[in-house]
Amino acid sequence: MRRQSEKRPGIIAVLVAVSLIAVLGIVAIALDGGLLLDDFRHVQAAADAAALAAADDLFNNYAANNGLDPNGTAKASALSTAAANGYNNDGMTSIVTVNIPPQSGDFAGKAGHAEVLVQYNQKRGFSSIFGSGNLPVVARAVARGVPGNIGILVLDPSISDSAELDGPNIIVQNQGQIFVNTSSSTGTWLNKGAHLTLGGMNLVGGLDNLGGTITYTGSGLQYVTTAMTDPLKDIPEPTDPNINVPSGGGQVGFNGSTLYDGYNPTVSIAGMPNYGSVTITSDTTLQPGIYTGITIGSSNSGGPGPGPGGSYPSDPSVSSSGPTVTLAPGLYYLESPSSGGPGGPGGPGGGGGLSLLSGTLQGTGVMFVVATGKDNFFNNNCNGVVNITPPTPTSGGLWPAGTTSATYNGISVWIPRGNFSEYHVIGGYNLNMPGTWYAQGGEFDIRPCGNATYQIGNYICDQAEWGQGYNGSFGMSSGTFIMNPNTAAPNLRPTLVE
């Protein structure tokens, strides 16, 4: 007898049907999600390239356009670059938006910056079972195209008062900027009586204003989250293999904080002539090379020395007595008679260096490397007129083997990266050294006194003080600082900032 089969309720089929929805959802997420992630990488790369293309145009035309795009050439360059990367701004598959200046983010409204947004509309795959329409993939990039606008760059990442501004007349020309990397809430200190004129300030930490005044000629004050890196870190440091130059790797800054960058390329000065220590009392021309000391003039023939209660020349542009010393183009390597000691070769007060007791010091295409101890560059008192221009790609001269004047283009003063000392330059005569003063691990304390004017390209250092000791009256630090980034080392190239 044949057995009658039992009816089946069909539960398995229902479960399979329901499960297929989840399975298809997972497949859609895996496939379409993977495509979206891959698309985002491509879209972001295209946005980055387009923003840099626009920034490059802003950079090249900055002198004429001041960071704006009146003729649309920067925008056109961005759109062309996006198209070359597959995003032709057809309004359907892709949409490319170029904002100069940016309309959002930390650099909104800031000249010299370009913002690019790229949207790619990805067609749906498996996910079309859940909806219709394309899946937008959006990336954004902002690039800076401002050439050489660093007036002051303070590298220390953490200490308070890393940038101390005291003097009554501190001017950063050509809309130059101050960048202060310290995260301290009092990282930038503006004293009562100080007056600062500049394009803008870019601070990771805070501004402690004790009653000073600020006049902005450009982008103004902005607080940023990204520290400015050392733009000179890839330039080889001239070193003497016969003395113990501290390593730059993981070095400690002037006040004990660890610097962010341990990279320290070097080049040997071996083979350059060594002139030892020289004292000059009559007009002469010096040649580049190694010196354990350069003393110019005599203390009893120069003008009145600076200092509290001291007198200052009525015309700081002219030295009334003393020799005129001309420096031939090239590298002047100042080192102590003996090596070792804290604060770098020779240590504080280790001898060597440059002393201008009276007279005039001049030259073209010159860079100093101050591989000595504390205060051995002008030895505190700069008691004569200084007029020295930095090297250019065509100034020539004598340089370490494997380098030329182009290697050190625009650099006037180089403190070894492993030297953590403080260097004072104080005087009542004019000083014109329109290049970069560089001390990755050290500090500059600069004080033009009386009616003196100090003209510098820019400062890149661990810590700095301008006009310390100014008390609101004629005398100590009552002179004028002028920084012109256009005369300093090329320190900014178009770069992504967001």
Side-chain angles (χ1 to χ4, degrees), residues 71-95:
N71 301 316
T73 54
K75 180 177 181 178
S77 182
L79 292 173
S80 175
T81 301
N85 281 276
Y87 306 99
N88 60 5
N89 194 31
D90 60 6
M92 298 180 63
T93 304
S94 63
I95 301 172

Side-chain angles (χ1 to χ4, degrees), residues 94-282:
S94 63
I95 301 172
V96 180
T97 303
V98 182
N99 297 318
I100 302 173
Q103 295 183 2
S104 63
D106 286 344
F107 301 93
K110 306 299 184 185
H113 296 77
E115 177 185 42
V116 175
L117 297 96
V118 178
Q119 177 177 320
Y120 173 64
N121 297 319
Q122 170 67 51
K123 291 183 178 180
R124 290 178 181 267
F126 268 83
S127 66
S128 60
I129 63 175
F130 301 110
S132 60
N134 296 329
L135 298 171
V137 181
V138 180
R140 173 182 176 273
V142 176
R144 176 189 291 123
V146 180
N149 72 339
I150 294 178
I152 299 170
L153 170 56
V154 177
L155 295 167
D156 197 286
S158 59
I159 66 171
S160 61
D161 298 342
S162 61
E164 181 180 331
L165 303 154
D166 300 282
N169 304 297
I170 304 172
I171 302 167
V172 185
Q173 297 178 330
N174 295 313
Q175 299 189 27
Q177 307 279 314
I178 290 180
F179 298 85
V180 181
N181 286 349
T182 178
S183 58
S184 170
S185 61
T186 57
T188 302
W189 197 65
L190 188 67
N191 204 359
K192 180 180 180 181
H195 181 72
L196 176 63
T197 302
L198 75 167
M201 300 181 73
N202 307 268
L203 310 180
V204 175
L207 172 62
D208 188 11
N209 190 340
L210 302 182
T213 58
I214 304 174
T215 300
Y216 292 110
T217 61
S219 56
L221 173 63
Q222 62 181 357
Y223 294 97
V224 298
T225 57
T226 303
M228 174 70 69
T229 58
D230 178 358
L232 306 185
K233 68 182 181 64
D234 293 326
I235 297 178
E237 178 171 297
T239 59
D240 186 343
N242 296 317
I243 65 173
N244 178 29
V245 177
S247 170
Q251 73 264 40
V252 176
F254 174 72
N255 275 344
S257 58
T258 301
L259 295 182
Y260 69 92
D261 200 332
Y263 183 56
N264 189 22
T266 61
V267 61
S268 174
I269 63 169
M272 295 190 73
N274 192 326
Y275 296 99
S277 180
V278 298
T279 298
I280 303 163
T281 56
S282 61

